[in-house]
């Protein structure tokens, strides 16, 4: 095992998709003297639980631009870092139940086109050519985004980790950050394995970012909200359609009815956009668990 580093230019706290992506991108920019500290295994936070949908849609120019960049990166990453992963570019349909929604889609289409994406607004009569299983009687139209799809979030993170390590960056797993102090122009980050001095710290602790912020005297304004999705058994009609077409159905999003629906193998993954979503791990009678694992299913 290599020696524990005592200094680095940047220390990143948290080995989820965000922390590992930060490490990869810093290394790509030539900042290879960076260390990522993860209290557990990589992806053991929210990243492990993610459905892996890769939208480019946003009402914000800059968020759309970041998502566009991510989708482009995912297309070439496996080859670039030599780490094969499951990434399906299926396209997506976002449904409009009213004229207001169609106006929103026209605006998003203009933004997307300006950023070089082939986003389109479909009339109601064009929807079934993309998605035959959909009743369209109460729809006005849909936004079609050919760049959308799904990726395995754990594989993506491991691919970014491999890329970062290959460029010389370091990842130390099972190494929780327990303290931080300022010493002159440097930060001193404490862990059970020792201290690391650095110029910059990235707080990528995800659902624990508030806890990490406190070590630096910062109040990170955030709340953990619950979200879940349901996985279906195989649906024979979808299996037959996919076999005939040679590809998966596009991802479906309906923000008016409030859900996303994605083909997962030959079944479906249904994720509601929870209306009465509840904050979690915010009170003494609902404390944050040490780790965010899915308990093993008995049998
Ligand atoms: C059910 C569900 C479905 C989702 N679906 C999607 C989707 O389809 N598409 C999408 O884009 N997003 C989705 N998300 C959201 C997505 O999972 C998160 O936005 C993303 O994973 C956040 O990544 P992160 O790196 O910021 O945080 P995390 O993955 O939570 O990583 C934080 C890491 O920090 C580590 N850490 C915490 N404290 C310390 C410490 N003291 N020292 C060292 N390490 C520490 C943790 O162990 C953890 O590994 C979904 C989320 C859920 C729950």
């Amino acid at each position: 095992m290599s020696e524990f580093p005592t200094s680095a230019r940047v220390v990143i706290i948290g080995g989820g998709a965000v922390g590992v992506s930060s490490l990869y991108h810093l290394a790509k920019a030539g900042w290879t003297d960076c260390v990522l500290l993860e209290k557990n295994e990589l992806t053991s936070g929210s990243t492990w639980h993610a459905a892996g949908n890769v939208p480019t849609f946003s009402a914000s120019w800059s968020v759309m631009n970041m998502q566009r960049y991510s989708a482009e990166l995912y297309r070439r990453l496996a080859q670039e870092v030599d780490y094969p992963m499951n990434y399906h570019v299926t396209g997506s349909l976002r449904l409009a139940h009213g004229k207001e929604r169609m106006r929103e889609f026209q605006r998003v289409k203009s933004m997307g086109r300006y950023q070089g994406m082939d986003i389109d607004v479909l009339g109601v009569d064009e929807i079934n050519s993309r998605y035959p299983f959909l009743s369209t009687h109460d729809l006005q139209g849909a936004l079609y985004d050919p760049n959308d799809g799904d990726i395995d979030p754990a594989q993506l993170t491991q691919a970014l980790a491999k890329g970062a390590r290959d460029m010389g960056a370091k990842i130390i797993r099972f190494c929780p950050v327990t303290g931080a102090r300022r010493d002159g122009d440097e930060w001193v980050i404490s862990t059970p394995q020792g201290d690391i001095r650095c110029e910059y710290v990235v707080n990528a602790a995800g659902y624990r970012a508030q806890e990490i912020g406190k070590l630096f005297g910062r109040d990170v304004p955030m709340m953990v909200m619950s979200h879940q999705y349901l996985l279906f058994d195989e649906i024979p009609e979808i299996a037959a359609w996919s076999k005939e077409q040679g590809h998966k159905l596009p991802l479906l999003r309906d923000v008016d009815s409030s859900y996303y629906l994605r083909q997962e193998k030959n079944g479906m993954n249904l994720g509601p956009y929870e209306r009465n979503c509840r904050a979690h791990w915010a009170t003494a009678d609902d404390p944050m668990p040490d780790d965010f694992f899915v308990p093993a299913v008995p049998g």
Side-chain angles (χ1 to χ4, degrees), residues 14 16-18 38-39 45-47 50-53 177 204-208 212 227:
V18 173
E38 164 55 49
K39 79 199 267 287
S46 305
T47 300
N53 302 333
V177 169
Y207 70 102
R208 301 194 97 94
I212 294 297
H227 173 54

Side-chain angles (χ1 to χ4, degrees), residues 107-128:
R107 177 176 170 271
V108 169
K109 172 184 157 184
S110 313
M111 255 189 347
R113 289 277 172 107
Y114 196 76
Q115 292 189 17
M117 292 187 289
D118 209 10
I119 293 177
D120 215 352
V121 175
L122 306 182
V124 74
D125 52 332
E126 297 170 285
I127 293 177
N128 282 135

Side-chain angles (χ1 to χ4, degrees), residues 11-20 22 36-41 43-47 175-178 201-216 220 222-224 281 288-292:
V11 167
I12 297 169
I13 306 173
V18 173
V20 180
S22 306
L36 184 147
L37 302 174
E38 164 55 49
K39 79 199 267 287
N40 207 307
E41 181 52 273
T43 77
S44 58
S46 305
T47 300
C175 185
V177 169
T178 50
V201 180
V202 177
N203 179 355
Y207 70 102
R208 301 194 97 94
Q210 201 167 48
E211 200 176 274
I212 294 297
K214 282 202 181 102
L215 301 179
F216 296 83
V220 178
M222 60 171 282
M223 193 58 75
V224 176
W281 306 337
M288 185 177 283
D290 273 352
D291 278 308
F292 184 24

Side-chain angles (χ1 to χ4, degrees), residues 160-192:
L160 291 165
K162 177 170 189 299
R165 283 186 184 113
D166 287 351
M167 287 184 274
K170 286 195 180 62
I171 295 177
I172 305 177
R173 298 169 301 137
F174 306 105
C175 185
V177 169
T178 50
R181 65 185 162 85
R182 196 77 178 147
D183 186 16
D185 289 341
E186 291 178 321
W187 290 106
V188 181
I189 305 301
S190 306
T191 81

